[in-house]
Amino acid sequence: MSRPKADGYNHLLVAARLRKGWTSQVRAAEAVTGIGRRLLNDPAWEITPRSWRRWESPNPGLPRADVLEVLCEAFETTYDRLGFTTPYDLSPGGAEPHSGVIIPPVNRRDILTAGTVSAIGGLPWLSSATGTQPASIFTRVGVQEVEELRATLNDLDALDQRFGGALLWRSAQHTLQWIHALLDRAQFTDDIEAELHSIAGSLTTSLGWYCYDAEQQERANVFFAQALNTALLSNDAPLAVRTLSNMARQAVDLDKPRDAIRYAQLAANHAGTWAPPRVHSLIAVREAQGFARLGDTDNADHAILRAWQAFEQDTSDRDPEWAAFLNEAELTCLEGMCQSDLGQHRRAIALLERSSDMQESARDRNRGMCLVRLSGAALSAGDLDRSIAAAEMSIHMISGGMNSRRNKKVLRTVAINLRPYATDPRARDMAEQIVAYAT
């Protein structure tokens, strides 16, 4: 959540610096540079006094992801407590959707420093030599390279759908760094440049999602903020809608339902005439999830109805690829999760069971979430047999390589809720299996 700034300078970062005994910005930059080099294992990594002065200004913006990681480590806190902001003030009484604070654009030339980038397999123009810069490998990017990049993004998203984002986000981050390097150092036509910018925005919000699924929430927040900033600065409404939808889903899991509702409503504001019914269905169900977690049955049910009404208008040629995951099985699962959050556990069980039966193996991460929520709903309804059966299927999927840490987190909650059944050997055994597989 964004935090209002006092006039004159970023009080929070200044206070944190002084608590460390760093009486000057130069001293702070040197100290944090040392921490960053050790943390990132990169002797060339650096924070300059000029950057530090900007961060202590009244409008510090949001540093890039690696810098935020180091700052949070150095000060042992979260980035919002250092005075950095997200695109919208979503605190009570905060900014309206069209007056939110836009983060200054990322300076791509600060993203890569010599010797810091590892090559990513699957991109034919990248060398395996550590520290090789794109300009030393090629001078021009054309249609073939753009197609390879788009294929890489599709592969990453397919792997996320099957196995979860825990093992993907680092590779995705390196790929994003390479794309920024291409934009800085390669030669291309205006059309290719537009394609590269589009790919970068798409990968940034995907990267936020991978981090979210990996329970790397601070990183997820950074990438979502950067993706939304890119969308707002470039008037890319589809990217804004996709990112806000992702943020709404994350907010529900972080138990911030009011934020989820506002993100979904912001997404609806950006979904004008360009948005096909499937996108409107996604926005509506995200809003429903926020209302359900808030316990607002009437508004949740109304949003679910709108989601199904839009969904039943079927697919169209205008559907973006990022909305393709919202098939009947997934929408049924999301409705079941809403009913479970509303305490309607019997209705949730029926929906979640139906969804798990319909899910394809290519979407095992979503099926895994469906199963762990089914296990929890069944336990809440007093149906131990059904709960154990769903948990067993989920563990089988984890043993087969599905590694969504979100799913594992929910499954660990099931283990906690099995404690009242400790006298039942099946419940004890299941709790032990969950501890073994979901930690």
Side-chain angles (χ1 to χ4, degrees):
M1 176 166 33
S2 71
R3 180 186 298 270
K5 300 288 182 301
D7 292 337
Y9 61 94
N10 180 356
H11 290 262
L12 293 173
L13 183 58
V14 172
R17 169 169 63 81
L18 294 177
R19 284 196 297 270
K20 284 286 189 179
W22 300 333
T23 55
S24 71
Q25 294 170 338
V26 172
R27 175 72 185 94
E30 291 173 348
V32 176
T33 292
I35 294 170
R37 289 176 177 177
R38 292 191 298 272
L39 182 66
L40 303 176
N41 193 27
D42 176 11
W45 192 90
E46 183 181 15
I47 288 176
T48 65
R50 180 180 179 181
S51 294
W52 202 284
R53 285 195 297 274
R54 183 175 71 251
W55 300 335
E56 290 191 2
S57 73
N59 297 297
L62 193 70
R64 64 183 190 265
D66 60 319
V67 174
L68 278 183
E69 178 182 0
V70 173
L71 288 170
C72 292
E73 179 71 19
F75 290 104
E76 298 179 330
T77 189
T78 57
Y79 73 83
D80 58 307
R81 294 177 180 175
L82 295 175
F84 299 114
T85 63
T86 50
Y88 291 107
D89 179 4
L90 294 182
S91 58
E96 292 302 315
H98 297 293
S99 60
V101 178
I102 299 178
I103 301 168
V106 176
N107 182 349
R108 296 194 310 273
R109 297 187 185 277
D110 287 341
I111 290 181
L112 293 179
T113 52
T116 64
V117 181
S118 300
I120 305 302
L123 303 181
W125 61 86
L126 302 186
S127 165
S128 60
T130 302
T132 303
Q133 296 299 312
S136 67
I137 303 169
F138 59 86
T139 58
R140 192 163 192 84
V141 177
V143 173
Q144 180 179 349
E145 288 77 20
V146 166
E147 289 178 349
E148 289 285 349
L149 277 169
R150 289 228 177 258
T152 299
L153 266 62
N154 291 337
D155 289 345
L156 287 169
D157 285 341
L159 289 169
D160 171 58
Q161 288 283 333
R162 183 69 183 269
F163 300 110
L167 301 179
L168 296 178
W169 68 267
R170 290 180 179 85
S171 293
Q173 181 170 280
H174 285 306
T175 304
L176 181 61
Q177 290 172 333
W178 273 101
I179 295 169
H180 285 308
L182 300 182
L183 284 163
D184 273 346
R185 298 180 175 93
Q187 297 178 15
F188 33 69
T189 64
D190 290 345
D191 289 344
I192 294 297
E193 181 179 14
E195 286 289 324
L196 289 174
H197 279 294
S198 174
I199 290 170
S202 179
L203 182 55
T204 302
T205 197
S206 289
L207 185 48
W209 180 270
Y210 303 153
C211 291
Y212 152 61
D213 190 65
E215 287 295 322
Q216 298 280 336
Q217 303 302 344
E218 287 296 324
R219 283 191 177 93
N221 289 342
V222 171
F223 289 116
F224 285 150
Q226 290 179 349
L228 185 55
N229 185 57
T230 297
L232 296 175
L233 290 172
S234 59
N235 294 317
D236 189 339
L239 179 60
V241 170
R242 180 186 178 192
T243 303
L244 288 163
S245 169
N246 288 342
M247 293 166 70
R249 183 71 186 89
Q250 180 199 36
V252 171
D253 278 359
L254 296 179
D255 203 25
K256 298 179 178 180
R258 295 185 189 279
D259 283 357
I261 294 165
R262 296 187 70 180
Y263 286 139
Q265 291 172 348
L266 285 168
N269 289 338
H270 287 281
T273 56
W274 69 268
R278 193 54 51 97
V279 170
H280 285 287
S281 178
L282 176 60
I283 295 170
V285 80
R286 292 300 189 223
E287 187 176 7
Q289 289 180 285
F291 281 122
R293 185 58 65 92
L294 194 62
D296 187 337
T297 301
D298 289 343
N299 278 314
D301 286 345
H302 180 66
I304 290 170
L305 177 62
R306 287 190 284 111
W308 278 109
Q309 287 173 337
F311 183 87
E312 287 166 358
Q313 295 181 48
D314 211 350
T315 58
S316 77
D317 293 338
R318 297 186 298 117
D319 290 345
E321 290 184 5
W322 47 265
F325 79 96
L326 191 67
N327 55 19
E328 183 180 358
E330 180 62 13
L331 187 53
T332 301
C333 177
L334 295 175
E335 181 184 357
M337 292 164 63
C338 288
Q339 297 301 336
S340 180
D341 285 344
L342 290 168
Q344 302 294 328
H345 299 299
R346 290 294 176 187
R347 291 175 63 185
I349 289 169
L351 290 162
L352 294 168
E353 279 189 333
R354 182 154 63 91
S355 173
S356 66
D357 290 340
M358 288 190 292
Q359 290 280 12
E360 305 167 356
S361 60
R363 303 178 189 275
D364 270 356
R365 186 207 62 213
N366 290 349
R367 183 168 184 257
M369 176 58 73
C370 185
L371 287 169
V372 295
R373 290 300 301 263
L374 171 58
S375 181
L379 201 58
S380 296
D383 192 338
L384 182 61
D385 291 341
R386 200 177 247 130
S387 176
I388 290 175
E392 284 177 341
M393 286 190 283
S394 180
I395 287 174
H396 178 72
M397 294 175 67
I398 292 172
S399 66
M402 194 280 294
N403 196 36
S404 168
R405 292 181 182 169
R406 281 191 299 142
N407 292 9
K408 291 180 178 181
K409 181 180 179 180
V410 179
L411 195 56
R412 290 195 298 271
T413 301
V414 172
I416 293 171
N417 292 335
L418 282 169
R419 289 173 182 171
Y421 298 89
T423 57
D424 189 313
R426 298 172 304 158
R428 289 200 307 273
D429 179 65
M430 178 50 58
E432 291 172 0
Q433 288 189 57
I434 291 173
V435 170
Y437 282 93
T439 54

